[in-house]
Amino acid sequence: MRELIEVADGVLVATSAVMSTTSTVLVAGDEALLIDPCWLPSELDGLADALDARTLTVVGGFATHAHHDHLLWHERFGTAPRWASRATASLARDERAVLLASLGETFPRLLADLMGRVEGVDAVIPPESVPRGFAPELVVHDGHAPGHTAVWLPEQRVLVAGDMLSDHELPLPFWPDDLESYVAALDLLAPYAARAAVVIPGHGTPGGDALARLDADRRYLDDVVAGRVPADPRMAHAGMDEEYEHLKRMVAGA
């Protein structure tokens, strides 16, 4: 895990060696809220070390969606409440066996047991789990995963986008019929992207180009639906050729 980098006032991001997965930490005073802490056991250890070095107490956690790499936790983060959208919390419970299998047999048992222990919330994270100075708004949709949630920080003008608006990954609708929901999610995120000074994708690099990323996602999807080969530089990244073929099959109804 790379070191924590401050991308906006009190908003810190660390990036995993695996798929450039991001961990976001909201900090004020001696309190912290963790969003999608990840990924390798050593990186979770490193994140705990970084929090200890800053003498931060974790007051809450939030998972943007119910994929195994976004539901992780570490015992050194403590027992603060962990939250997610209601759909995400339900999936984390009902699909626990599949999620655990995705971690692999060598994943430490204690960390695996902590994976996915989230409670569902509606529009906001309970205030006792939020450091002062932050007023996160939850933008819940069904693009990429049911109950997928972006976190909008209006004072900081930061959009924590989950697995959308990435500069590394192409749009990844879930199989078999999520394309319509994905497009609707982009429409929902558009006004936040227009206001964002910084966007933090679940995989990729934080940047000041949220609206450009959203437009690139729309162009890519439009091209695939129209049967055109997209001119998108992200197609050259590892694994994206397979995702492109996957989307073509989805569009064709295969």
Side-chain angles (χ1 to χ4, degrees):
M1 182 188 74
R2 301 171 198 164
E3 64 179 326
L4 284 165
I5 302 297
E6 189 167 31
V7 300
D9 188 21
V11 182
L12 311 179
V13 178
T15 305
S16 170
V18 180
M19 300 184 293
S20 296
T21 314
T22 57
S23 302
T24 300
V25 187
L26 308 185
V27 175
D30 60 355
E31 296 183 336
L33 168 66
L34 306 185
I35 302 175
D36 291 351
C38 65
W39 170 202
L40 301 174
S42 60
E43 292 175 334
L44 291 167
D45 281 337
L47 182 55
D49 288 341
L51 299 176
D52 286 348
R54 292 167 170 79
T55 63
L56 293 171
T57 298
V58 176
V59 295
F62 189 81
T64 59
H65 59 291
H67 290 165
H68 62 280
D69 52 332
H70 294 268
L71 290 167
L72 296 166
W73 201 250
H74 194 286
E75 68 271 18
R76 288 172 58 197
F77 299 157
T79 59
R82 298 160 58 190
W83 308 101
S85 72
R86 293 194 182 278
T88 294
S90 179
L91 286 168
R93 180 185 65 250
D94 296 343
E95 298 186 1
R96 183 166 182 80
V98 174
L99 292 165
L100 286 171
S102 298
L103 291 175
E105 295 181 356
T106 62
F107 206 80
R109 183 172 181 178
L110 178 57
L111 296 184
D113 184 64
L114 291 172
M115 187 273 299
R117 305 296 188 183
V118 293
E119 298 294 329
V121 292
D122 289 318
V124 297
I125 302 171
E128 61 269 22
S129 293
V130 180
R132 63 186 179 276
F134 292 96
E137 300 174 15
L138 304 183
V139 186
V140 183
H141 56 80
D142 292 322
H144 184 69
H148 190 291
T149 307
V151 181
W152 170 242
L153 307 174
E155 292 297 321
Q156 294 76 19
R157 294 176 55 213
V158 172
L159 181 62
V160 185
D163 278 5
M164 298 185 71
L165 307 185
S166 173
D167 60 332
H168 285 199
E169 287 189 340
L170 295 166
L172 304 177
F174 68 86
W175 188 267
D177 57 0
D178 179 48
L179 185 55
E180 183 177 347
S181 295
Y182 202 100
V183 172
L186 291 176
D187 291 343
L188 183 64
L189 291 173
Y192 299 95
R195 295 158 58 195
V198 178
V199 60
I200 303 171
H203 301 276
T205 309
D209 57 345
L211 199 55
R213 295 184 187 194
L214 189 143
D215 289 343
D217 286 349
R218 282 177 167 156
R219 285 195 303 272
Y220 170 78
L221 295 174
D222 286 346
D223 282 343
V224 177
V225 169
R228 299 185 295 264
V229 177
D232 192 310
R234 295 173 294 180
M235 291 180 67
H237 293 173
M240 291 300 102
D241 53 345
E242 296 176 7
E243 296 297 341
Y244 170 53
E245 295 298 328
H246 173 95
L247 182 58
K248 286 199 299 182
R249 291 194 300 272
M250 183 185 296
V251 169

